[in-house]
Amino acid sequence: DLMNDHWFFASFGKSNHSWVPGQGRFNSSVGFTNLGKRNDYALFLYYEDNPVIDIPIRHAFHETALGGGVVFSHPVSKYFRLENNWGLEHLNQRDLYDWTNSFDLNHSADTLIFKTKGLTLKSGISFVGDNALGIESGPIVGYRYRVGALATVNLSGLIRIKPSLQNFPELSQKKEETPGAITNYILHTDLRHYIRLGLISTLGLRFYGYYSSGEIPTYVSFGKLNGMAAFYPWNSPYGGRGWMANSRITLPVLRRAEFEMPILGTISFSGIRGGFFFDFAQVWFRNNELGPIYGDLGMRIEIPLGLTNLQFDYGKMFTLPLKSGYELPEFYRKKKFGIGFGQSF
């Protein structure tokens, strides 16, 4: 609207392909945000119909979700606020088949293996601090902190997949389980600090912690999209508990670049930055001992593209073995070049 404090949004996406062969995707959502007041809020509705690969238990299933929710934000001081969210979702997860490929990290399965069918209620609260200042491609000075918790209660039944029947999808859904008081809970912290090195140069430091438990733990990937720059989703550290430390040095490379194209005309890019990354992460499952510490180091070029950045990375992955756990194959420890979209933390 005129004051730019009310936003309506909608999204729609359909694909005939996905990670699961022969299965397509469909996603849609609508929402409204009210900003600029002392207490801000957002409302949203969504529908998702997607195949999902549950890496820890080697299982592919089809998931249909219909839900909605509300998010409230209340200021505590000039730079700190409390956020509270509530959501109600109808979820149906149907088994497809067991799945394994060459990218599988071969983690041990969790003890309790469930799928969800029915209504779930979610509630979370976070304490947020943010005084960061930045440019188009990201923050350059200040801090961003978030510490919170999220709980999910299954209001319907849970379906147990018996280990002896995992190779027979038609027999796997056998027994309805009584839902627990809390089906899942998550504790998380994300601490980011930016130190200005020059006019638009910065050193970014980040610590991220994650802990999930309950009958159906929620797993997190520490791959490229979530911090480990040299890792991709198919070879990234993955588990229900873990920590990650990231560092980035970003420097200006080109203020502006223009290209004359025969048909498209002049295409220009501004604020192109380069930098270096150095990351560590350790992730494990509920039943595993601590595994190795995963690490990467390398360099990056970022080109702003409006709402996101085009990233070119060249890096090397490595591990620091501790007690036990999966170690990266030699193929992954070689230097790698990658392309992605997103923003550095």
Side-chain angles (χ1 to χ4, degrees), residues 5 34-41 71-83:
D5 55 5
N34 180 77
L35 305 174
K37 308 294 183 181
R38 178 171 176 81
N39 295 293
D40 300 330
Y41 65 89
V71 180
F72 298 99
S73 177
H74 177 75
V76 178
S77 66
K78 185 175 182 180
Y79 299 118
F80 293 91
R81 66 183 184 273
L82 280 176
E83 292 184 358

Side-chain angles (χ1 to χ4, degrees), residues 18-21 25 50-62 96-101 104 115 219 238:
S18 69
W19 287 96
V20 179
R25 294 178 175 274
N50 300 308
V52 179
I53 293 175
D54 197 340
I55 294 177
I57 65 172
R58 309 289 185 290
H59 221 74
F61 57 93
H62 198 97
L96 293 175
Y97 49 78
D98 287 339
W99 173 83
T100 305
N101 72 10
D104 194 343
K115 288 290 176 272
Y219 304 109
Y238 187 91

Side-chain angles (χ1 to χ4, degrees), residues 221-248:
S221 169
F222 287 166
K224 186 178 185 66
L225 298 179
N226 197 30
M228 300 289 287
F231 288 79
Y232 283 83
W234 53 82
N235 71 336
S236 61
Y238 187 91
R241 303 171 183 184
W243 61 267
M244 177 173 61
N246 312 102
S247 62
R248 301 282 187 276

Side-chain angles (χ1 to χ4, degrees), residues 110 210-213 217-220 238-242 283-286:
D110 219 329
Y210 184 90
Y211 183 95
S212 178
S213 191
T218 298
Y219 304 109
V220 64
Y238 187 91
R241 303 171 183 184
V283 190
W284 61 96
F285 293 97
R286 178 167 49 189

